């Protein structure tokens, strides 16, 4: 709740900061300060929910889980600001507005982490989505950015329509918007609700870009200004998952019907994994590769949703953290390069060893190699699926896909370390290096001691 | 604590080495590997007197029931010793070489040593998995950075193979974890749970594929000859001397005791695969002209035999496998040292371009002959006792299997002797005429190898004593 | 034979009422043109129309007839369908607004109560809002379809202006709604019948509403969309014949309806002082009420004209600034003050 | 009127919207189709609200509240969406989504 | 299956209800039938507009010349298409209208229930107005409402 209020207010404040502060550096500092305040405010709420969540007017339910997820999202955003905050200036004039939009997205995410009413789910998803449409098109003169924005907008609005129809049909069947009372996994479900659920699953899959509702993702991620792609494909995506997870775990679980939802979703997951990974293999641009990899990673996060158990909840937190930090890191380095293709990385290890090491560790984390956070993230979601009991085929598939993912992640490493080249690199400041080291440390610490994060749950 | 030191020393030394310049890394590597040898020997001593003191447990991820749990049994002590010795030998051999970016080279070498030590000492499945992966990554970088022309593609293949295998193992580990009554990863919980045979049937393959890729067993071996050929020879030494033992070790530690019925169900299949591997690899080795590939294939054959012996599931064969793990490690490292020397002197790997080295480098020739014979398993060399035990174990299991595996011995003799003949006898050519004999460092390394070969060949009792307790445990649980 | 159970009386009654209202609107609109010219003449100290009939009273008929018989021109570049659609919508909307205005209380004819309101819906105010905002489509489509630069410019201006003034209008109404607590126009009138007129409580609200009504009807001083010296006649530049007539008519009907609405909402509608204490026949009271409303409406129509010939046209930026920066904050403040005062008086 | 009427009407409108989105190529028309979908939802939502209110649920008004929120969000989407379409139009002089295929490799 | 039932029900109700439009429904203000007169008026308005349009179409003379059918541009030759992008200001106004208008929507239910909600509701509304003003001040400061330039 604190996170929601503080981020929303920060957004408004930053809008006004943009009016009165001309220096873009200062705006960045404002944003960083605001996100730190939000982070602290969010944590300050932890003691009050430690023994059990509380519900506000049947709309929002603040739980430990929600607070923790907000902490992860805010932390990742802080890292993002530290690493890429100065890239905002390159996109366009309205730096403060971009920051403000990001804060609004964060408000949406914190709502997504704690909704207990379908209305709030809808609002959360919209608050997350609409600023993204703008951010995607922030580079106004760039046709690719334009296209990304338009595509994202049309697809996003379309999926919103579908989501709403789903919600309405469910409401028609159940007579309530409260997710704890819906009971969609029960023994029998009203036919209206059946249609509603399917529409809803589709729409949410859309938002988290699960196959076959992913087709907008690569184009949008590729076309958007890189600095925003970085945020969209990480924190925001995690926010989508948290909404999905809450919905699924509260309303869809328990009961015989829930197996059918699990089946639908596991097919979606399988498709996501296969398509995401195989497409990523064939990309020439690292940015686009990361776009597809984000689809593939979405497949892994879907495990947490399907499994509907405690392990999955922990997994999605850890996965969000690991995936966000690592991807933000890779993007931060990518933005420092002139050439976004794999060749652009050739010989980076010679020229900028720290950057190369950082990218290597982040990619290790994405691939799920031990002692990086990504390993435990994958571990938890796979565990969740195995614990579920009926998803072993999916787990094996996921493992095969993880091996494929190594292929495209390591192409970057190979380019950096084993190939000759002279990559064009922008000036690297000390602050950037420090932030990068912080990110590396986070990845490694979470990789060694995931309980540092999970002990809060 | 000794056990933890075995991991920590190379790990810290490795990290430090990245920051050093000039000959610093070299010296550091030497010191660190000497220290690990000393500690390993110390651990051996402790093992006789107070084996419990070698165990160390610390809390790690309490939510998961995973602990930092290291310990040493007989097999562990032996393999740690092998690892320590292997790295020492490697560092002695390459002491005079100057590698480009030697700090990274030594750093990565030491890190891989830390990983290996971790694998051999882990008594917690999750931790085992993590070390299993960690041992791989430095090797990947070593091969890709300092290897031959086709190194990038080849090592990539190697990496993906093993990574895929280990992920399958991870699935298996997680599955087993949920089956344990106390939700723990400890070896004790894993071995004490009651799995139903249906589960064991497929779980076996999750683990076996991972281990088979590492060993490698036919048909998972395709990465191996290429990687051995393309890797820088010091890395090949580690790969073939120690890393392949990870697979065997893992079968003994984590497969047989944990999934006994699964292993029993599939042991025939596994053995058949191994024997196919033995014969197939031996045949290819016979017609192989490339020195490195020849030894690589011979390694497949030897490992195949060991693996087959493991699945023969009796105490004799298990004991044989265990000491053969050590001995084969020593022998093959010896061989690779010589290969490294030849390659460095001649700059070629093709056997047809060699010959007459006996005249130019008599000392080397002697070493080569002794090590090769040990590798074939001639009596009074260390190879003999292990092979003997394995064959007798295999014989007890099934005569036919033994017969086919025995064919491997004969073929091994054929190609090994052929190799010796091609290298040191016959006419020299312009290339070999320039050869010089061993340098002091090389002599030292080879002498150590040969001493071990002879001593263990004549007096294998300490080794047998060391591993007998472990083989009993494994056999009992199996 | 379920068909027979339809309440034919009801339907006939409504049809009659609708016809009367529509005809009344048209006639008022027609004579507004005459009135406009007369008022203009009076203000400018000249005679105005005086040829056709006594005092030129037949002038509107002549004008109407002329419009019917004029050639219908549709430019080649225009989009024909939209070109016809534009004025049609404008006219339609103008005709629809009157549906919820209570023209009077209930008449009792042959024992049947006959309401002088076409439809007493409980969201009357919203209905008017909804329908009125459709009006902008007529102008916009008309301007766009003409494919004329002036027309397009004018229609864009008109659209901007109308939507801009809809905001303060809505906000002003909200203050009124806080007072009345209902959206039904009938009830609003009934409340005023038994109490004071709303303008007493809502002078500022009335003022804002009035200004917005001027803007919504594109009346001077806000007649930028047809500013002839800038735009050659505005969005209906390309129109001729009855299509032009529709645009013009629509404007006058809107003026009429706006006046009626202002009278209804702020000046008691058909209520007049002492209407319940005169002791007359209820039907008589109703008829008097209707006349009262009509008079009030006529006054406001006159006011519209008076303003037109008194105040010069705004500049566009002045217009927008007035709408956004003055009226919206004023309306908000009015709303908040109203709310606070009402709540304070409640306790 | 029974709620079925509304269900059918809404579903029909919704399907028209969906088909429009899938088949039309003009960004503005797609956008209008999306709005049609949202309005279909609004209608249905209100109908259901009435239905549940008749069935005696005291909280049935929340569905009408939902409609308000949908409207607001739709307005926000309109604002953003039209801005985006305008931006695209200014850069490409077209709002046909078919010509926007630069990103496809 | 269920939809089939719905369909049948729909059919029955359709025939039943439309034929049977009772006074009860027509006079009450809370049912959909209270809008019936509005429909009547709509039909009347449509009829009037349609008939007049048709009538004038046939009544007026038709003497079309190409010059007459050209768009009027103050007598000078026509240049280009009229449908050029307009100043972005108009568009911005439209968007701002959409945004602020929906905020106004929220005032309506509040205004109707305002007396029941009392001071609590007033405070909530005050907050809402504060946000409204935030947006308003923001756009003003951003210069969205500046027409002078």
């Amino acid at each position: 709740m604190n996170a929601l209020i503080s981020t929303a207010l920060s957004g408004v404040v930053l809008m006004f900061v943009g009016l009165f502060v001309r220096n873009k550096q200062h705006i960045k500092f404002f944003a960083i300060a605001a996100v730190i305040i939000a982070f602290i405010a969010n944590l300050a709420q932890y003691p009050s929910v430690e023994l059990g969540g509380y519900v506000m007017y049947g709309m929002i339910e603040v739980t430990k889980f929600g607070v923790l997820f907000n902490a992860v999202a805010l932390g990742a955003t802080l890292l993002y600001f530290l690493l890429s905050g100065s890239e905002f200036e390159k996109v366009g004039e309205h730096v403060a507005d971009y920051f403000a939009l990001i804060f609004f997205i964060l408000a949406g995410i914190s709502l997504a982490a704690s909704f207990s009413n379908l209305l709030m789910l809808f609002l959360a998803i919209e608050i997350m989505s609409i600023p993204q449409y703008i951010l995607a098109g922030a580079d106004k003169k760039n046709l690719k950015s334009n296209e990304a924005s338009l595509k994202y907008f049309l697809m996003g609005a379309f999926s919103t329509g579908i989501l709403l129809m789903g919600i309405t049909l469910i409401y028609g069947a159940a007579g309530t918007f409260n997710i704890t009372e819906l009971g969609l996994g029960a023994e029998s479900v009203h036919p209206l609700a059946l249609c509603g659920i399917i529409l809803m699953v589709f729409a949410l899959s859309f938002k988290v870009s699960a196959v076959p509702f992913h087709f907008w993702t690569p184009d949008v991620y590729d076309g958007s200004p890189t600095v925003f792609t970085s945020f969209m494909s990480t924190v925001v995506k995690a926010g989508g998952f948290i909404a999905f997870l809450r919905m699924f775990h509260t309303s869809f679980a328990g009961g015989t019907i829930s197996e059918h939802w699990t089946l639908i979703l596991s097919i979606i997951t399988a498709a996501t994994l296969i398509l995401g990974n195989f497409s990523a293999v064939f990309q020439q641009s690292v940015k686009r590769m990361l776009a597809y990899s984000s689809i593939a990673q979405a497949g892994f996060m879907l495990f947490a949703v399907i499994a509907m158990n405690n392990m999955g909840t922990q997994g999605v937190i850890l996965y969000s953290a690991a995936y966000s930090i690592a991807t933000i890191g890779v993007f931060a380095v990518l933005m420092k390069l002139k050439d976004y293709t794999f060749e652009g990385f050739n010989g980076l290890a010679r020229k900028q060893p720290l950057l190369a090491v950082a990218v290597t560790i982040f990619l290790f984390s994405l691939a799920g190699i031990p002692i990086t956070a990504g390993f435990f993230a994958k571990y938890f979601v796979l565990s969740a699926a195995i614990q579920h009991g009926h998803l072993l085929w999916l787990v094996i598939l996921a493992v095969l896909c993880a091996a494929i993912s190594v292929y495209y992640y390591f192409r970057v490493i190979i380019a950096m370390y084993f190939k000759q080249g002279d990559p064009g690199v922008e000036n690297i400041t000390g602050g950037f290096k420090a932030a990068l080291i912080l990110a590396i440390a986070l990845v490694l610490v979470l990789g060694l001691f995931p309980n540092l994060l999970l002990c809060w749950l | 604590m000794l056990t933890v030191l075995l991991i920590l020393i190379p790990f810290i030394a490795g990290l430090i080495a990245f920051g050093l310049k000039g000959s610093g890394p070299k010296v550091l590597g030497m010191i660190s590997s000497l220290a690990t040898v000393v500690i390993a020997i110390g651990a051996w001593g402790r093992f006789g007197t107070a084996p419990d003191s070698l165990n160390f447990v610390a809390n790690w991820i309490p939510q998961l029931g995973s602990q930092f749990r290291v310990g040493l049994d007989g097999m562990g002590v032996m393999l740690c010793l092998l690892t320590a010795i292997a790295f020492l030998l490697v560092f002695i051999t390459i002491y005079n070489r100057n590698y480009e970016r030697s700090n990274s080279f030594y750093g990565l070498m030491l890190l891989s040593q830390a990983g290996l030590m971790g694998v051999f000492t882990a008594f917690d499945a999750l931790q085992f998995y993590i070390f299993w992966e960690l041992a791989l990554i430095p090797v990947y970088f070593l091969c890709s950075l300092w290897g031959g022309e086709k190194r990038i593609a080849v090592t990539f293949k190697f990496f993906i193979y093993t990574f895929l295998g280990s992920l399958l193992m991870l699935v298996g580990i997680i599955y087993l974890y949920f089956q344990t009554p106390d939700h723990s990863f400890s070896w004790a919980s894993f071995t004490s749970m009651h799995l139903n045979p249906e589960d064991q049937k497929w779980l076996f393959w999750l683990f076996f594929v991972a281990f088979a890729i590492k060993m490698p067993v036919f048909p998972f071996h395709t990465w191996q000859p290429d990687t051995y050929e393309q890797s820088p020879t010091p890395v090949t030494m580690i790969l073939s001397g120690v890393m392949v033992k990870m697979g065997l070790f893992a079968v003994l530690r984590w497969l047989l005791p944990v999934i006994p019925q699964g292993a029993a169900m599939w042991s025939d299949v596994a053995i058949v695969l191994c024997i196919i591997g033995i014969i197939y690899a031996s045949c290819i080795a016979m017609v192989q002209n490339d020195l490195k590939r020849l030894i690589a294939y011979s390694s497949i054959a030897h490992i195949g035999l060991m693996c087959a012996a493991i699945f023969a599931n009796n105490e004799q064969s298990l004991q044989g496998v265990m000491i053969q793990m050590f001995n084969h490690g020593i022998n093959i490292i010896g061989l690779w040292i010589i290969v490294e020397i030849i390659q460095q002197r001649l700059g070629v790997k093709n056997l047809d371009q060699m010959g007459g080295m006996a005249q130019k480098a008599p000392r080397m020739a002697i070493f080569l002959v002794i090590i090769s014979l040990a590798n074939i398993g001639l009596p009074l060399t260390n190879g003999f006792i292990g092979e003997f035990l394995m064959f007798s174990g295999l014989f007890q299991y099934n005569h036919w299997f033994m017969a086919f595996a025995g064919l491997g011995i004969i073929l091994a003799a054929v190609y090994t002797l052929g190799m010796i003949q091609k290298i040191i006898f016959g006419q020299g050519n312009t290339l070999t005429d320039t050869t010089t004999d061993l340098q002091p460092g090389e002599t030292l390394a080879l002498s150590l190898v040969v001493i071990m070969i002879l001593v263990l060949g004549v007096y294998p009792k300490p080794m047998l004593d060391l591993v007998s307790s472990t083989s009993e445990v494994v056999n009992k649980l199996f | 034979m379920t068909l027979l159970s339809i309440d034919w009386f009801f339907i006939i009654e409504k049809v009659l009422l609708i016809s009367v209202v529509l005809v009344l609107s048209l006639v008022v609109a027609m004579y507004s043109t005459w009135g406009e010219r007369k008022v203009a003449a009076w203000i400018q100290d000249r005679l105005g129309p005086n040829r056709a009939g006594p005092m030129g009273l037949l002038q509107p008929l002549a004008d109407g007839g002329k419009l019917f018989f004029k050639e219908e021109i549709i430019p080649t570049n225009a989009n024909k369908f939209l070109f016809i659609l534009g004025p049609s919508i404008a006219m339609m909307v103008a005709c629809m607004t009157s549906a919820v205005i209570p023209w009077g209380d209930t008449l009792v004819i042959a024992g049947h109560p006959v309401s002088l309101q076409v439809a007493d819906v409980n969201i009357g105010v919203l209905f008017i809002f909804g329908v009125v905002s459709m009006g902008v489509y007529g102008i916009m489509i008309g301007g766009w379809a003409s494919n004329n630069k002036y027309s397009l410019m004018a229609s864009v201006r008109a659209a901007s202006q109308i939507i801009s003034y809809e905001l303060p209008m809505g906000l002003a109404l909200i203050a009124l709604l806080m007072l009345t607590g209902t959206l039904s126009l009938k009830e609003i009138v009934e409340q005023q019948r038994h109490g004071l007129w709303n303008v007493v409580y809502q002078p500022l609200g009335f003022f804002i509403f009035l200004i917005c009504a001027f803007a919504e009807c594109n009346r001077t001083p806000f007649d930028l969309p047809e500013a002839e010296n800038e735009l050659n006649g505005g969005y209906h530049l390309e129109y001729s014949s009855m299509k032009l007539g529709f645009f013009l008519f629509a404007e006058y009907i809107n003026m009429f309806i706006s006046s009626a609405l202002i009278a209804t909402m702020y000046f008691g509608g058909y209520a007049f002082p002492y209407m319940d204490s005169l002791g007359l026949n209820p039907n008589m009271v109703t008829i008097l009420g209707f006349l009262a409303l009509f008079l009030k409406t006529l006054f406001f129509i006159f006011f519209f004209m008076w303003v037109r010939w008194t105040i010069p046209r705004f500049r566009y930026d002045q217009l927008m600034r007035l709408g956004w920066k003055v009226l919206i904050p004023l309306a908000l403040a009015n709303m908040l003050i109203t709310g606070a005062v009402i709540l304070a008086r409640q306790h | 009127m029974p709620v079925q009427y509304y269900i059918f009407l809404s579903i029909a409108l919704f399907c028209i919207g969906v088909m429009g989105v899938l088949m039309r190529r003009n960004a503005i028309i797609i956008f209008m189709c999306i709005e049609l979908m949202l309005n279909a939802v609004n209608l249905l939502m209100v109908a259901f609200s009435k239905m549940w209110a008749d069935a005696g649920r005291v909280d049935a008004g929340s569905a009408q509240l939902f409609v308000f929120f949908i409207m607001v969000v739709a307005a926000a989407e309109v604002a953003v969406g039209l801005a985006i379409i305008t931006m695209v139009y200014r850069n490409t002089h077209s709002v046909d989504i078919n010509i926007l295929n630069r990103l496809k490799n | 299956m269920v939809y089939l039932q719905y369909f049948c029900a729909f059919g029955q109700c359709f025939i039943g209800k439309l034929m049977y439009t009772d006074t009860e429904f027509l006079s009450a203000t809370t049912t959909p039938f209270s809008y019936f007169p509005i429909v009547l008026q709509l039909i009347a308005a449509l009829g009037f507009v349609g008939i007049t349009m048709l009538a004038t179409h046939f009544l007026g003379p038709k003497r079309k010349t190409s010059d007459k059918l050209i768009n009027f541009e103050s007598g000078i030759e026509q240049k280009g298409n009229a449908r050029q992008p307009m100043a972005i200001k108009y568009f911005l106004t439209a968007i701002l209208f959409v945004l602020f208008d929906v905020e106004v929507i929220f005032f309506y239910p509040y205004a109707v229930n305002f007396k029941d909600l009392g001071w609590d509701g007033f405070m909530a509304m005050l907050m809402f107005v504060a946000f409204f003003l935030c947006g308003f001040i923001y756009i003003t400061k951003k210069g969205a409402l500046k027409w002078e330039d």
Side-chain angles (χ1 to χ4, degrees), chain C residues 7 69 71-72 76 95 98-99 118 120 144 146-150 156 163 174 179 232 238 242 321 324, chain E residues 23 29 37 41 56-57 61 63 68-69 71-74 79 81-83 90 97 107 115 136 148:
Chain C
D7 190 343
F69 293 101
E71 184 182 355
E72 179 188 45
T76 36
C95 292
S98 54
V118 174
D120 179 18
W144 168 265
S146 306
N147 203 354
N148 179 308
K149 286 161 194 149
Y150 297 115
V156 170
I163 60 177
I174 282 164
L179 200 66
N232 283 321
E238 293 289 351
M242 204 54 201
R321 194 170 59 223
W324 283 92
Chain E
T23 325
T29 59
Q41 178 147 4
T56 53
H57 181 72
R63 286 181 292 273
K68 194 193 276 180
L69 294 180
N71 286 115
F72 175 73
E73 285 195 5
S74 304
K79 276 254 160 49
N81 196 326
R83 289 164 192 168
Y90 294 103
F97 163 72
F107 288 127
K115 284 176 186 153
F136 190 73
E148 285 85 359

Side-chain angles (χ1 to χ4, degrees), chain A residues 118-119 122-123 126 130 133-134 137 140-141 143-144 146-147 149-151 153-154 157-158 160-162 164-165 167-169 171-177 192 219 223 283 288, chain D residues 11 14 18 21 27 30-31 34 37-38 41 44-45 48-49 51-52 57 60 62-63 66 69-70 73 76-77 80-81 84-85 87-88 91-92 97 100-105:
Chain A
L118 291 176
L119 172 58
F122 163 65
L123 284 184
E126 285 307 297
I130 293 177
Y133 307 149
I134 306 172
K140 283 187 282 190
K141 296 279 178 250
L143 287 182
K144 283 178 99 179
N146 283 348
E147 184 193 343
S149 179
L150 183 61
K151 204 171 250 178
F153 165 70
L154 290 178
F158 181 54
T160 300
I162 291 175
L164 280 173
M165 199 58 185
I167 289 176
T168 310
L169 291 178
Y171 175 74
T176 177
F177 291 116
L192 275 182
D219 290 353
Q283 300 308 316
R288 221 174 151 81
Chain D
I11 300 273
F14 189 79
V18 171
V21 171
I30 292 178
F31 185 44
I34 290 170
M37 286 162 66
L38 294 185
V41 169
L44 190 56
M45 195 70 107
F48 279 140
S49 168
M51 181 184 91
W52 284 111
R57 280 193 81 104
S62 62
F66 206 122
F69 278 95
I70 296 177
V73 168
E77 274 186 356
V80 171
I84 290 168
I85 292 174
M87 177 179 76
V88 171
N91 284 332
T92 63
I97 59 167
L100 295 174
N101 276 333
R102 265 163 237 97
L103 288 172
K104 287 261 155 50
N105 287 347

Side-chain angles (χ1 to χ4, degrees), chain A residues 116 174-184 250-251, chain D residues 57 59:
Chain A
S116 69
T176 177
F177 291 116
N178 194 324
I179 56 170
T180 50
E181 294 168 20
L182 290 177
L184 302 177
T250 348
S251 312
Chain D
R57 280 193 81 104
D59 61 346

Side-chain angles (χ1 to χ4, degrees), chain C residues 2-3 5-7 10-11 14-15 18 21-22 26 67-80 84 87-89 91-92 95-100 118-123 125-127 129 144-150 152-153 156-157 160 163-164 166-167 169-171 173-174 177-183 232 237-238 241-243 246 315-317 320-321 324-325 328-329 332 335-344 346-347, chain E residues 15-16 18-23 26-30 33-53 55-66 68-74 76-84 86-87 89-98 100-102 104-108 110-120 122 125-126 129 132-133 136 139-140 145-148:
Chain C
T2 45
L3 266 176
S5 68
I6 295 177
D7 190 343
F10 178 83
I11 293 194
K14 287 296 174 197
V15 168
I18 289 166
V21 167
L22 284 183
L26 288 172
L67 283 173
F68 266 96
F69 293 101
K70 277 286 178 187
E71 184 182 355
E72 179 188 45
I73 299 171
I74 300 179
T76 36
N77 285 337
N79 182 323
K80 195 171 177 196
I84 297 171
S88 307
I89 288 182
M91 193 64 194
M92 285 270 305
C95 292
M96 287 304 294
T97 336
S98 54
V100 294
V118 174
D120 179 18
V121 291
N122 53 358
I123 51 153
V125 177
L126 284 186
F127 176 83
F129 246 88
W144 168 265
S146 306
N147 203 354
N148 179 308
K149 286 161 194 149
Y150 297 115
L152 187 59
M153 189 71 198
V156 170
R157 274 187 181 189
S160 264
I163 60 177
S164 295
E166 227 164 78
L167 284 177
M169 194 173 183
L171 285 170
L173 271 185
I174 282 164
L177 294 181
M178 284 171 151
L179 200 66
T180 60
T182 176
L183 288 161
N232 283 321
L237 174 62
E238 293 289 351
S241 171
M242 204 54 201
K243 292 194 209 41
F246 273 171
R315 222 170 48 219
Y316 200 72
D317 61 310
M320 294 309 260
R321 194 170 59 223
W324 283 92
K325 293 191 182 165
I328 289 179
L332 267 178
M335 185 186 95
L336 289 179
I337 292 166
T338 310
V341 169
I342 292 173
L343 283 176
Q346 234 176 13
H347 299 293
Chain E
I15 295 161
L18 279 197
M19 291 303 198
Y20 181 73
T21 39
D22 201 348
T23 325
L26 294 175
S27 52
T29 59
T30 50
F33 292 96
S34 61
Y35 292 86
F36 182 67
I38 293 181
V39 177
L40 286 181
Q41 178 147 4
L42 183 68
I43 293 167
L46 264 178
F48 170 68
V49 170
I51 289 167
T52 316
M53 277 289 176
T56 53
H57 181 72
F58 291 113
L59 284 175
K62 289 180 184 61
R63 286 181 292 273
K64 293 188 174 27
T65 62
S66 65
K68 194 193 276 180
L69 294 180
I70 285 179
N71 286 115
F72 175 73
E73 285 195 5
S74 304
I76 56 171
E77 213 163 299
Q78 194 183 19
K79 276 254 160 49
N81 196 326
R83 289 164 192 168
Q84 300 289 333
M86 304 290 291
K89 287 281 170 192
Y90 294 103
F91 174 73
L92 200 58
T93 313
I95 287 198
L96 291 178
F97 163 72
V98 171
F100 284 105
D101 205 39
V102 292
V104 173
I105 287 181
F106 275 97
F107 288 127
Y108 276 89
Y110 169 68
V112 175
N113 297 309
F114 148 84
K115 284 176 186 153
D116 303 332
L117 293 171
W119 283 107
D120 287 345
F122 188 72
M125 196 36 64
L126 211 55
V129 172
F132 186 105
L133 280 178
F136 190 73
I139 56 154
T140 320
L145 301 176
K146 252 165 59 187
W147 285 85
E148 285 85 359

Side-chain angles (χ1 to χ4, degrees), chain B residues 315-324 389 464 467-468 471:
Chain B
E315 199 174 337
Q316 246 177 354
S317 65
L318 288 177
Q319 219 169 2
V321 170
M322 285 181 199
I323 66 166
Q324 184 67 2
L389 284 170
L464 284 171
V467 297
S468 61
S471 62

